[in-house]
Amino acid sequence: MLRRQFLGTTVGAGAAAAASMVWSSRTARAAAADDIRVAVIGFNSRGQSHLKDLGKHVVALCDVDAHVLSKSADKLAENGQKVDKFTDFRKLLEQKNIDAVSVATPNHTHALIAVLAAQAGKDVYLEKPVSHNVWEGRQIVAAAKRYGRIIQTGTQSRSSDGLRDAAAWVQAGNLGAIKYALGTCYKRRPSIGKQTRPLQIPSFIDRDLWIAGAKDQPIYRPEKNSQGGI
C-alpha cells in the first residue's frame, strides 16, 4: 500500500473507533508534568537531543537499528534509568503506559508515525519537516483534531519571545504596509556521495521498517550516510 493510500485510509476510516477513543487512563492520571511518560522514536542523530532534553521522562526507546537501540538503552541504564526497547514503533504505540512520543526519524516516516500515534491516544512532538508533502501534513492536522491529540513540530523560533515581540511590532504598523518579505538561509551541504553498487542493509537494521512507505528501490548511498535509525 502506498503511503498516500495508507494515510487516507487511516484518517478517513475507523469512525467508530475514533468516536469511542478517549485519552488513555494513563494520560488522565498525568496531573503534573513530572508524571508524563515519553517514548523517543529514532535517535541516531537529532533524537539524541530529545533524549537529553526529555531526561527522566523517557521510559521507552524505538529504533530499527539494533546497535543504536542497545547502545542508547545501555547508556541510560548506566545512569539508573531503565527503559523499554522496541524495534517496531507500532508495537510501542500499543503500550498504554506511554503518554507521548518524540519523533526524530527520517522525514518520509514522520506523517505515518504521527497519525498512528494520535490514533493510539498519544501526544506527539514531531521533528521538522512534519511530512513528505503538504497533503500528508494535512492528514496530521486532521488526525490531531479527530483524536483530540496535541501534535507539535520543531519550529522552535516561532515561539521565541523576541521573534513574537518583533512580529507584533511589525503587525502594529511600525514599518508601514508590508508589500513582501524575503527570507534566505545559506547552509552549504556537501554531497553525500554515491557508490557504484547498491547498498547492502546490515542484518541488525530492520530494512522494511527503515524504508517504511518510501519506494523500495536500490540505494546507492555510502554506508556511513545510510545507517541512521528510523
Side-chain angles (χ1 to χ4, degrees):
M1 179 180 288
L2 296 176
R3 181 170 58 239
R4 185 181 180 92
Q5 294 173 324
F6 173 81
L7 283 172
T9 301
T10 301
V11 177
S20 62
M21 181 171 288
V22 295
W23 285 24
S24 68
S25 58
R26 173 67 201 175
T27 302
R29 294 197 303 271
D34 286 345
D35 199 30
I36 295 175
R37 297 166 62 88
V38 184
V40 178
I41 306 175
F43 44 85
N44 196 32
S45 182
R46 176 62 180 164
Q48 286 296 316
S49 296
H50 293 207
L51 291 177
K52 180 180 178 180
D53 294 340
L54 289 167
K56 65 179 182 180
H57 295 288
V58 177
V59 297
L61 300 178
C62 181
D63 202 287
V64 298
D65 188 321
H67 290 181
V68 170
L69 181 61
S70 295
K71 181 179 179 180
S72 290
D74 291 345
K75 185 176 180 179
L76 290 175
E78 291 175 0
N79 296 323
Q81 187 173 355
K82 183 179 179 181
V83 296
D84 295 325
K85 297 184 294 184
F86 297 87
T87 299
D88 191 331
F89 73 90
R90 294 168 298 183
K91 295 295 183 182
L92 181 151
L93 295 179
E94 293 175 358
Q95 309 308 305
K96 303 300 182 182
N97 65 335
I98 293 176
D99 304 315
V101 295
S102 180
V103 183
T105 62
N107 300 346
H108 69 282
T109 63
H110 287 185
L112 287 170
I113 297 176
V115 169
L116 287 177
Q119 193 176 46
K122 318 296 184 189
D123 292 323
V124 183
Y125 178 83
L126 188 63
E127 275 296 336
K128 53 188 175 292
V130 298
S131 60
H132 183 68
N133 52 48
V134 173
W135 183 88
E136 286 187 1
R138 289 171 177 163
Q139 308 318 303
I140 296 175
V141 173
K145 292 179 179 178
R146 176 180 290 274
Y147 303 115
R149 296 292 92 197
I150 296 172
I151 301 181
Q152 179 183 352
T153 188
T155 51
Q156 289 86 353
S157 60
R158 294 199 53 158
S159 57
S160 164
D161 290 338
L163 289 179
R164 283 190 299 179
D165 291 343
W169 188 80
V170 172
Q171 291 167 356
N174 290 292
L175 291 181
I178 303 299
K179 302 299 184 180
Y180 69 92
L182 176 65
T184 60
C185 181
Y186 294 101
K187 293 181 181 179
R188 181 182 180 276
R189 292 190 175 184
S191 170
I192 62 175
K194 183 178 181 180
Q195 55 188 24
T196 57
R197 290 182 293 181
L199 175 69
Q200 296 298 312
I201 307 300
S203 60
F204 53 83
I205 293 179
D206 189 312
R207 184 179 186 278
D208 290 339
L209 287 173
W210 185 58
I211 294 175
K215 186 176 181 180
D216 190 352
Q217 58 188 1
I219 301 171
Y220 289 90
R221 292 182 178 183
E223 183 174 333
K224 66 178 181 179
N225 289 319
S226 301
Q227 292 184 19
I230 186 172

